[in-house]
Amino acid sequence: MSEIGDSLAVSLFSEIFMADQLARNRISRALPKGMEISHFSVLNHLARLNEERTPAQLAATLHVTRGAMTNTLNRLDWAGHVHIRPDWDDARRKLVSISPAGRSARDAAIQAISPVLAEAVADIGEDRLRAALPVLRQLRQKLEGGR
């Protein structure tokens, strides 16, 4: 990579890392008391799918370790936000689904973070963000393929 390319890559990833950190901080503060981003991520994913998933599938989808996912699921189970049951076809596995209380918690979280997200979109502009999405999506796909 050329010196110019190195500089572009460093600048790009520096901006992405800082935007990620700032977004997580703002969203964490807006989430309902006791909810963490990891909890919201799992609940949001399960609500969108409306299907059961194994802890390993959830860990892979959300790019976290199985141990981190187990911790998150234990907390969500304790709060009554997910149902965890044995897989009747393979007793070694468990299946996770969102509970009605989890769906309500996810909806409350979306209500809480929506103003934060809407403000960012309004300040930057929908057209500019829509134009950036394909590039960010392609970058994510490239990074996912490079595991």
Side-chain angles (χ1 to χ4, degrees), residues 2 21-22 40-41 47 52 54 56 64-65 70-71 78 89 99 106 112 114 118 122-123 133 136 140 145:
S2 70
Q21 184 65 34
L22 293 169
F40 172 73
S41 296
E52 293 178 309
T54 67
V64 298
T65 65
T70 297
N71 184 40
W78 181 84
D89 296 327
S99 70
R106 178 257 190 183
S114 288
D123 288 350
L133 274 177
L136 292 171
R140 175 189 47 83

Side-chain angles (χ1 to χ4, degrees), residues 128-143:
R128 292 179 74 197
L129 290 173
R130 194 171 282 113
L133 274 177
V135 174
L136 292 171
R137 186 171 293 120
Q138 189 175 10
L139 180 60
R140 175 189 47 83
Q141 290 168 341
K142 173 69 177 156
L143 294 171

Side-chain angles (χ1 to χ4, degrees), residues 25-128:
N25 190 314
R26 300 257 331 254
I27 289 170
S28 290
R29 285 186 282 146
L31 285 171
K33 185 172 173 48
M35 184 175 286
E36 298 176 16
I37 289 178
S38 60
H39 303 165
F40 172 73
S41 296
V42 171
L43 294 176
N44 194 47
H45 182 68
L46 290 171
R48 283 193 344 256
L49 286 177
N50 209 27
E51 294 178 358
E52 293 178 309
R53 287 290 183 254
T54 67
Q57 288 172 319
L58 291 169
T61 298
L62 298 174
H63 304 285
V64 298
T65 65
R66 289 182 183 199
M69 183 55 62
T70 297
N71 184 40
T72 299
L73 291 174
N74 285 339
R75 290 173 186 232
L76 289 170
D77 185 39
W78 181 84
H81 293 158
V82 296
H83 297 297
I84 302 174
R85 69 168 183 86
D87 182 343
W88 308 124
D89 296 327
D90 183 349
R92 296 169 296 177
R93 294 191 317 180
K94 294 180 181 183
L95 292 171
V96 181
S97 62
I98 191 168
S99 70
R103 195 170 295 278
S104 293
R106 178 257 190 183
D107 293 346
I110 287 189
Q111 289 286 70
I113 66 173
S114 288
V116 173
L117 302 177
E119 179 186 351
V121 170
D123 288 350
I124 295 169
E126 285 186 32
D127 291 340
R128 292 179 74 197

Side-chain angles (χ1 to χ4, degrees), residues 1-12:
M1 190 178 278
S2 70
E3 191 172 311
I4 293 171
D6 287 344
S7 176
L8 175 61
V10 169
S11 293
L12 173 66

